[in-house]
């Protein structure tokens, strides 16, 4: 399988074994960003909804239609659905979820995990969302067992975390690389197949 951009038809996937190709894309969308194509042909992509300006996450089986998997709505915060990652088999998708507004007016943000075959979503939550703790920019391991993210705690501590993709809460103790006080945040780039090795862009590096 190979994914490519056709000037006439937009993004497509070509199957060398069958000699067939199919278009990938979501309704009412443009500026497609392809996240990956699994061995079974399932494509995972990001597109911005032209009617709302929201970013959405889609999963599209080989030869089928794209299905929106995120819970982002017109009332969600801007980053909802903006960053996403997918496991090698295309079955688990991690994406930036909605901000959680607490009674005191503060906000915390989540990472949502969508299981394509089960059609279910669970959220990774910071341990103190009520104090504005945030999770951003998820990167899944190839087998979908681990996820790396940016974490900002209520006391201002910032860093990268790598945790099991199980839906457990996340705290300062999970940080493996801090970047407190740096003007540019560290960014997770890639996890290996089992989540044991993380590649990331250090602060203040282009």
């Amino acid at each position: 399988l190979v994914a490519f951009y056709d000037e006439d038809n937009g993004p497509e996937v070509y199957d060398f074994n069958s000699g067939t190709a199919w278009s990938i894309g979501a309704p009412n969308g443009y500026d497609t960003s392809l996240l990956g194509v699994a061995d079974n042909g399932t494509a995972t992509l990001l597109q911005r909804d032209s009617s709302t300006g929201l970013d959405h996450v889609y999963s599209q089986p080989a030869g089928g239609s794209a299905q929106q998997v995120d819970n982002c709505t017109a009332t969600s915060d801007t980053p909802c659905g903006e960053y996403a990652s997918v496991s090698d088999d295309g079955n688990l998708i991690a994406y930036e979820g909605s901000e959680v507004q607490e009674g005191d007016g503060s906000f915390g943000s989540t990472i949502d995990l969508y299981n394509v075959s089960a059609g279910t979503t669970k959220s990774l939550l910071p341990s103190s969302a009520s104090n504005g703790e945030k999770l951003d920019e998820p990167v899944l391991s190839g087998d979908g067992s681990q996820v790396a993210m940016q974490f900002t705690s209520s006391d201002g501590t910032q860093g990268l975390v790598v945790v099991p993709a199980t839906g457990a809460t996340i705290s300062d103790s999970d940080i493996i690389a801090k970047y407190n006080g740096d003007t540019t945040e560290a960014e997770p780039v890639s996890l290996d197949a089992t989540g044991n090795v993380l590649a990331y862009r250090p602060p203040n590096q282009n």
Side-chain angles (χ1 to χ4, degrees):
L1 295 174
V2 62
F4 62 95
Y5 186 84
D6 183 280
E7 290 187 358
D8 295 323
N9 300 315
E12 292 189 349
V13 177
Y14 181 80
D15 187 334
F16 286 97
N17 292 328
S18 64
T20 59
W22 59 92
S23 297
I24 56 176
N28 302 319
Y30 57 93
D31 294 335
T32 299
S33 297
L34 181 65
L35 298 177
V37 178
D39 290 341
N40 63 5
T42 298
T44 306
L45 55 141
L46 297 176
Q47 278 200 324
R48 177 160 292 183
D49 190 314
S50 58
S51 63
T52 65
L54 286 175
D55 293 294
H56 289 299
V57 186
Y58 293 85
S59 178
Q60 181 174 339
S65 300
Q67 300 295 320
Q68 182 180 329
V69 305
D70 63 85
N71 293 317
C72 302
T73 68
T75 58
S76 300
D77 60 293
T78 302
C80 189
E82 184 175 354
Y83 293 93
S85 178
V86 61
S87 59
D88 288 346
D89 63 3
N91 190 56
L92 188 64
I93 302 170
Y95 65 92
E96 286 193 349
S98 300
E99 285 187 339
V100 179
Q101 184 171 15
E102 304 298 329
D104 61 0
S106 62
F107 289 88
S109 62
T110 67
I111 297 297
D112 288 341
L113 301 170
Y114 182 80
N115 186 300
V116 175
S117 59
T120 57
T121 300
K122 60 183 177 183
S123 296
L124 292 168
L125 293 168
S127 59
S128 186
S130 61
N131 289 320
E133 291 189 343
K134 295 185 177 182
L135 298 170
D136 302 287
E137 299 194 24
V139 173
L140 280 168
S141 61
D143 63 5
S145 65
Q146 306 287 317
V147 59
M149 299 162 287
Q150 294 179 341
F151 172 75
T152 302
S153 75
S154 56
D155 63 6
T157 301
Q158 295 176 302
L160 300 180
V161 299
V162 179
V163 298
T166 58
T169 57
I170 297 163
S171 64
D172 289 13
S173 61
D174 295 307
I175 293 177
I176 61 171
K178 292 184 179 181
Y179 48 85
N180 298 45
D182 288 303
T183 56
T184 303
E185 299 175 346
E187 297 178 13
V189 175
S190 178
L191 276 174
D192 70 347
T194 57
N196 290 317
V197 180
L198 169 67
Y200 67 95
R201 184 176 295 108
N204 301 314
Q205 297 293 317
N206 296 320

